Amino acid sequence: MDNKKTALVLSGGGALGAYEIGVWKALIKLGYEFNIATGTSVGALNAIMVVQKDFKKAYNIWSNISFADIYEEKIDKNISAVALYKKYAKEIVQNGGMNPSVLENLLHKVYNEKKFYASDIDYGLITFNLSTMKPEIKRKKDINPKDLVNYAIASATCFPAFKVKTIDNEKYIDGGYYDNLPINLAIDMGATNIVAVDLKAIGMKRKTKKFKGNITIISPNNKLLSMLDFNAKKARQAIKFGYNDTMKKFNKLEGFKYTFKKDELAKHWDKFSQKYLKYLNTLTLAKKLKTADLIIDKGSDLILDDEKHKIKFYELMEYCGYLFNLPEEQIYDIKTYNKKLYQELEKTESLDLKNLVKNIKDIFDKRRIIKTIYDYIDDPNSLKSLHIVADIFTKEFKDALYLKILF
């Protein structure tokens, strides 16, 4: 008899919960099947849909999420971050927090009592009882079907942003006040293999109990939307990030903030590492400038197959993408990525190198600095100025050098 049980653990994080749907999408593609789903806060809400195996429904809800799906208070979908937090602050002072009644109505529509309790996936959530000042851990078998939504909303009551949830005359707030990543709950429920999504949101995390099984933790590599900003466009991006990070975690895709198809990075390194070294030597930077620390350690020769040198090379590649505003959520092959880099590089206006040196403190546009170095890097008459620029803008110099070997 096989007693192995796989658990999906979903952390709290408000609007960041869209990321968890992307993780779930990737896990489905990877063939994962779960016996247990635990969650805190928004993780408790998403876990209901995991138990019901309602991925399409979860995906559609998050892909089209808006403030109107969460609150009865009217909030402009284009509200600025500052105005949004002022709105929350005002509701906290005047009304004890935002009213999540609309979210509760939405959850009632999502929750299918028959499907939930007939599912072979066990369920657990954490909330915090403000009346007793103690956490409450609820499992599927402990919850009256009519109260499931109440306890899930209680777990997601992000106090003080949301109003306190009252159940049977007792007041409840967000489970994140006790454990925002309920791995221990999954262990207590008999999990032997755990995949946990840690949104790195505000909240307490308990020390993991002794556990002989495997725990895989997936966390965002990219900056996500604010946990209180329910915006469909940003949610769709977060879903893609969740998918990408999961596939990278299981070695199906590559990269860190950017995502590349399998084996693309090694091919890229093999193709350009020698050329990169040639440029370093041509510019006599290896001995004169700290720029050389990109692939050469102090007092050592180049080791082309050294992993740390490859990692530095990949970091440069991704930093270029960031500076030239390449979308982070896409999955790239290296040819397409480089093509987009070149297109953005060509659109960037260069500066006069000597003026750049003279007015070094007044230059803030890193893309123009890179473009300037890129344009002058083959000019032997500019070597002295390049040395000065490289010592001051070492990172930008490295990126210009990286782009030069490509184009």
Side-chain angles (χ1 to χ4, degrees):
M1 183 176 178
D2 187 1
N3 292 319
K4 292 182 178 179
K5 291 185 178 181
T6 300
L8 178 60
V9 177
L10 302 176
S11 81
L16 309 184
Y19 179 91
E20 296 176 335
I21 305 306
V23 174
W24 186 14
K25 178 182 178 181
L27 292 172
I28 290 172
K29 185 169 184 177
L30 292 168
Y32 266 77
E33 292 184 2
F34 296 99
N35 309 101
I36 299 166
T38 67
T40 297
S41 195
V42 71
L45 306 184
N46 283 336
I48 291 174
M49 291 181 280
V50 172
V51 172
Q52 294 178 179
K53 303 178 184 179
D54 277 335
F55 172 76
K56 288 184 178 180
K57 186 179 289 186
Y59 183 85
N60 288 333
I61 288 171
W62 277 106
S63 294
N64 299 286
I65 200 79
S66 70
F67 289 112
D69 296 311
I70 310 299
Y71 311 117
E72 63 179 16
E73 296 87 354
K74 290 185 178 180
I75 303 177
D76 188 331
K77 66 178 181 179
N78 297 316
I79 191 170
S80 68
V82 173
L84 176 61
Y85 282 102
K86 284 183 177 178
K87 175 70 174 175
Y88 277 107
K90 182 179 178 181
E91 290 296 330
I92 290 168
V93 173
Q94 294 184 350
N95 302 310
M98 301 286 255
N99 188 341
S101 59
V102 177
L103 173 62
E104 193 165 339
N105 291 335
L106 175 64
L107 188 55
H108 273 292
K109 293 176 183 177
V110 169
Y111 169 52
N112 184 317
E113 181 182 317
K114 185 176 179 180
K115 186 185 286 190
F116 182 86
Y117 280 92
S119 172
D120 57 359
I121 302 175
D122 202 358
Y123 174 81
L125 64 77
I126 295 177
T127 185
F128 192 85
N129 189 321
L130 202 57
S131 300
T132 63
M133 294 303 292
K134 293 180 179 179
E136 286 198 17
I137 296 170
K138 299 288 185 181
R139 293 178 56 175
K140 183 195 282 191
K141 64 183 179 63
D142 302 323
I143 307 174
N144 184 306
K146 304 301 180 186
D147 288 331
L148 188 280
V149 169
N150 285 331
Y151 280 109
I153 290 294
S155 179
T157 301
C158 186
F159 180 79
F162 286 11
K163 289 181 177 179
V164 170
K165 176 66 178 175
T166 301
I167 305 173
D168 295 332
N169 296 318
E170 295 196 330
K171 298 183 182 301
Y172 292 85
I173 57 174
D174 198 294
Y177 280 89
Y178 176 72
D179 190 358
N180 205 40
L181 185 64
I183 291 175
N184 288 336
L185 174 55
I187 294 172
D188 291 341
M189 291 171 68
T192 56
N193 180 43
I194 295 172
V195 178
V197 185
D198 185 358
L199 294 173
K200 300 290 187 183
I202 297 171
M204 300 290 291
K205 279 191 287 188
R206 317 306 293 186
K207 183 178 179 181
T208 303
K209 297 178 177 181
K210 288 185 179 180
F211 181 61
K212 293 181 180 180
N214 181 62
I215 300 176
T216 301
I217 296 180
I218 300 165
S219 295
N221 290 326
N222 305 79
K223 184 178 180 180
L224 301 180
L225 62 165
S226 161
M227 62 183 292
L228 295 174
D229 188 358
F230 294 89
N231 177 297
K233 182 178 179 180
K234 293 177 182 177
R236 287 192 290 269
Q237 183 187 53
I239 291 171
K240 290 180 180 179
F241 285 147
Y243 178 86
N244 293 349
D245 288 345
T246 306
M247 297 303 278
K248 283 185 273 192
K249 192 74 172 183
F250 289 94
N251 298 314
K252 301 299 181 183
L253 294 172
E254 301 178 323
F256 181 61
K257 287 185 179 296
Y258 285 88
T259 304
F260 301 89
K261 294 177 181 177
K262 184 72 173 171
D263 299 325
E264 289 285 295
L265 297 185
K267 292 176 185 176
H268 191 48
W269 168 255
D270 291 343
K271 184 175 180 179
F272 290 107
S273 55
Q274 290 281 6
K275 191 175 180 182
Y276 195 92
L277 176 62
K278 182 179 178 181
Y279 256 100
L280 281 175
N281 289 335
T282 301
L283 294 168
T284 63
L285 297 176
K287 294 180 180 178
K288 294 185 179 181
L289 299 174
K290 57 189 177 183
T291 308
D293 70 4
L294 172 65
I295 51 176
I296 300 179
D297 287 330
K298 209 177 255 188
S300 69
D301 295 323
L302 177 73
I303 305 173
L304 285 177
D305 61 352
D306 190 325
E307 283 302 313
K308 71 177 182 179
H309 296 324
K310 288 183 182 180
I311 290 170
K312 287 183 179 180
F313 186 77
Y314 300 150
E315 286 174 352
L316 270 187
M317 179 183 71
E318 292 205 3
Y319 187 63
C320 281
Y322 165 73
L323 284 183
F324 287 93
N325 297 323
L326 267 59
E328 294 179 15
E329 68 273 17
Q330 291 184 15
I331 299 173
Y332 294 94
D333 59 74
I334 200 65
K335 185 177 180 180
T336 301
Y337 184 83
N338 289 339
K339 182 179 179 180
K340 289 181 178 291
L341 266 184
Y342 183 71
Q343 290 171 344
E344 293 302 317
L345 181 68
E346 285 293 283
K347 285 192 263 181
T348 303
E349 184 182 352
S350 186
L351 298 162
D352 180 83
L353 184 63
K354 291 182 179 178
N355 286 337
L356 175 62
V357 174
K358 288 179 182 178
N359 303 295
I360 212 81
K361 293 181 180 178
D362 299 325
I363 304 299
F364 296 100
D365 190 335
K366 292 183 178 181
R367 286 179 296 182
R368 293 186 72 186
I369 294 171
I370 290 172
K371 183 60 161 60
T372 303
I373 297 168
Y374 174 90
D375 286 343
Y376 282 91
I377 211 164
D378 284 323
D379 181 4
N381 297 321
S382 300
L383 193 59
K384 185 176 180 180
S385 295
L386 283 170
H387 286 175
I388 296 171
V389 171
D391 276 332
I392 297 172
F393 293 112
T394 305
K395 196 166 187 179
E396 287 71 30
F397 192 96
K398 290 177 182 179
D399 280 299
L401 195 58
Y402 169 80
L403 291 169
K404 198 66 180 180
I405 67 171
L406 300 183
F407 316 120

